[in-house]
Amino acid sequence: ATGSAENEFTMAAGASGNGPILSSTGSSDTNIDINLNPAGSGVLKSGTAAVKIAGKETIWIPAVAMYGSTTNPADAQQVETTALRPDLKVLDFDASTSEFAQFAVTFPKQWNLGTVTFIPTWSPSNTDTGDCLWSLSGLSVAEGESADVAFSAPQTSLDAGIGTVEDIQMGPESSAITIAGTKADGNQVFFQLERNADDGTDDFTGDARLLGIQLFYTTDAANDA
């Protein structure tokens, strides 16, 4: 398939009690990948189970892992649905003033240090079907660096109220967020979530009750070694 091929497969039989070995070898290259490419939407499998590969991953950040910012904070609440049914641990974001919540993570070393996206999960406090505008920004801080640095430019997720109190809803996935600061393995990465109530696009009339966000990032390694 390649006219000037240099790298190749070497197959070695295994002795009793050992599996056979399939190696990538070449006459001059030192580090040679093995590429296994299923056709179309086919999945790479071992037996009947899919093999985990580097790519898009998700972290769930619940509202209880966030805190209202010192300036214009969202309000932590526990909303009872019906007695002894699920209580909603939420952050309430006001309808008339932009409010904020923050959280921090240390990503797995598998993170490719690239952009991230998010999906908000929330519940309406009234039956209005207006649009609620969420935004997220980030800042990565290395050891010995100051955290007193501005967050990145935010990206947004605009979601219409579902019209029923206590229903659970999820907004669309945001555009890619380029995290500010120094990106490196092990860094503390701070995030700031805002309900942009001051923006004319947000016309949902009630408190928006945030349950959490799905935070998406991309990996480029098989593990954290």
Side-chain angles (χ1 to χ4, degrees), residues 149-198:
V149 179
F151 283 102
S152 66
Q155 295 295 336
T156 62
S157 174
L158 183 66
D159 195 26
I162 206 166
T164 306
V165 176
E166 297 171 357
D167 273 13
I168 307 301
Q169 59 182 101
M170 300 174 188
E173 186 172 353
S174 72
S175 298
I177 301 161
T178 301
I179 296 171
T182 304
K183 270 83 71 181
D185 290 343
N187 280 11
Q188 184 88 157
V189 184
F190 297 90
F191 287 93
Q192 181 161 268
L193 182 74
E194 176 186 4
R195 179 189 173 182
N196 304 60
D198 294 334

Side-chain angles (χ1 to χ4, degrees), residues 23-37:
S23 305
S24 58
T25 56
S27 60
S28 60
D29 291 342
T30 301
N31 302 309
I32 308 170
D33 294 335
I34 292 179
N35 300 308
L36 302 174
N37 300 320

Side-chain angles (χ1 to χ4, degrees), residues 13-100:
S16 178
N18 296 280
I21 298 173
L22 177 65
S23 305
S24 58
T25 56
S27 60
S28 60
D29 291 342
T30 301
N31 302 309
I32 308 170
D33 294 335
I34 292 179
N35 300 308
L36 302 174
N37 300 320
S41 60
V43 176
L44 181 63
K45 294 183 177 181
S46 174
T48 58
V51 175
K52 183 175 174 60
I53 58 175
K56 191 173 183 178
E57 301 282 356
T58 311
I59 304 175
W60 168 249
I61 312 292
V64 292
M66 305 179 188
Y67 48 91
S69 58
T70 302
T71 302
N72 292 354
D75 186 24
Q77 296 287 342
Q78 179 163 318
V79 179
E80 184 178 45
T81 53
T82 299
L84 302 182
R85 294 182 182 179
D87 287 351
L88 305 182
K89 297 288 285 188
V90 298
L91 287 170
D92 275 1
F93 288 78
D94 193 73
S96 59
T97 302
S98 290
E99 293 183 334
F100 302 83

